[in-house]
Amino acid sequence: MTVTSVHNPSHREALWEMEDAFERGDLISVFGRCTVDYEGRASSELGSGDRLVVLKPDGAALVHTDEGRQPVNWQPPGSEHRAAVREGRLRVVSTRTNPAETLTVAFEDVHQLSALTVTGGRDLDLHGSEEDLRTRILERPDIVEPGFEPTETERPSIAGPMDVFGVDADGTPVVVELKRRRVGPDAVGQLARYVRGLREELGINDSGFDGDSVGDADGDDGETPAVRGVLVAPSVTDRAAERLADHGFDHVALDPTDE
Amino acid sequence: MTVTSVHNPSHREALWEMEDAFERGDLISVFGRCTVDYEGRASSELGSGDRLVVLKPDGAALVHTDEGRQPVNWQPPGSEHRAAVREGRLRVVSTRTNPAETLTVAFEDVHQLSALTVTGGRDLDLHGSEEDLRTRILERPDIVEPGFEPTETERPSIAGPMDVFGVDADGTPVVVELKRRRVGPDAVGQLARYVRGLREELGINDSGFDGDSVGDADGDDGETPAVRGVLVAPSVTDRAAERLADHGFDHVALDPTDE
DNA sequence: CTGTTTATCTCGCGG
DNA sequence: CCGCGAGGTAAACAG
């Protein structure tokens, strides 16, 4: 038996079922008319209404209405659930410490209470993350540009760790910044800080002056800096495109979810 | 009747109940063994396991395991839910556009399916938020400091809107930044940008030089700037305290949940 | 234990 | 529609 369910139980019956479910470590789902109070980092009150309350064996509690992805009230995992009948009504209290928080659900009417025994299958694998994108670039650097050779990831700099660092076909240092979604000017600023930091580190003047360094860009005059910046992202905002142009950085359009 | 529920239904029966529930605009709760696939901003696959799936009439979809406050997979409100039986199995697909995202739940076994008719009670009042904190300061400005008079909220500046703007007992302009929890150096940086922006606006030199302005701080030499910065937060990190001191800003310890 | 960073963040507001 | 900031953010991770 993986589901125990009672419909329109008395508050006492609901309490018995709930205590049994706590004992078994079940996932509990309660649908009923209730008020909800929360006291802790903030405080809130929720008047009477029909809601779905989920109590998890790891201590998480969720109160959902018929709208929104977010629970209207909740308690994080690690909280402790207790149930009782006070003044003839089922009352569920979930508490945690650090910070001290209390969620109280007082039922006027329990429409349905279900205890769900959960078995296995908790393994998720997620693709399309920034981590995934970096792995793919290390495996096939040509998707950044032909001849690109990554040398380090998470290379430390005064502006923080750069996502990917390497050299291009001409041997010029390249800083690559990865973003998994459309970016605004802030990402360009981040890339600019890395490039600026690296130029300082290598003793290269911002204007592109090359003080005996690792290989100047070909033919160009002093305008071309000896460290390049490349932003890898599915797309950029107009403002970001302007700032990329200002800095002389390149944008590689690459969607992390594409193969 | 506010709850319709079937236990261990056939996949066809489950489909009928679900389609009826869609029609009625019910909140749907399904507990069963299923696999979950998500494609969109990222992509994920979830192997077979017992999970609680919630489908809301506003288009939100949630897939919960027995752990965590967060759903293991979800779809935001505004998505469209469809159900069908393919290869003898109940399959629920939730899609949305912009960004294009698809959540697919394929049930191997439906343990329980419930349709919940929700009525009323969506009014939450929350205290202890930043909004609430601002209201309290406007009602009783003395909790910032005696003699403080707020003049504007969300006052625009080149650095963005400041939380509260006003003048102190001496008539010196004061920028107040509100934070509802313990803050790090970033909040001080934010406040500093506001203060710097306002000084520029008023034609005051950063070093505190007063170019015919609204009332200099008493007695001090040129060190004291003619625009003050006050950070209201329950507490600050050590690093943040140093930066506050560097700028000559004040910290008012105020917990948004108090009072 | 605190502090930092990320997220399929969500959510609301303004241009 | 995009961009920005707040959240009882949650959650992973480093120190």
Side-chain angles (χ1 to χ4, degrees), chain B residues 210-234:
Chain B
D210 183 348
D212 184 36
S213 108
V214 196
D216 207 347
D218 55 353
D220 282 3
D221 57 18
E223 284 294 320
T224 306
V227 174
R228 295 178 49 208
V230 176
L231 181 63
V232 176

Side-chain angles (χ1 to χ4, degrees), chain A residues 38 41 73-75 101 237:
Chain A
Y38 157 75
R41 287 170 289 179
N73 272 119
W74 71 90
Q75 202 67 290
E101 291 183 300
T237 65

Side-chain angles (χ1 to χ4, degrees), chain A residues 169-182:
Chain A
D170 298 327
T172 305
V174 180
V175 177
V176 181
E177 174 66 21
L178 307 178
K179 292 295 174 189
R180 54 179 312 287
R181 51 178 181 175
R182 181 177 174 83

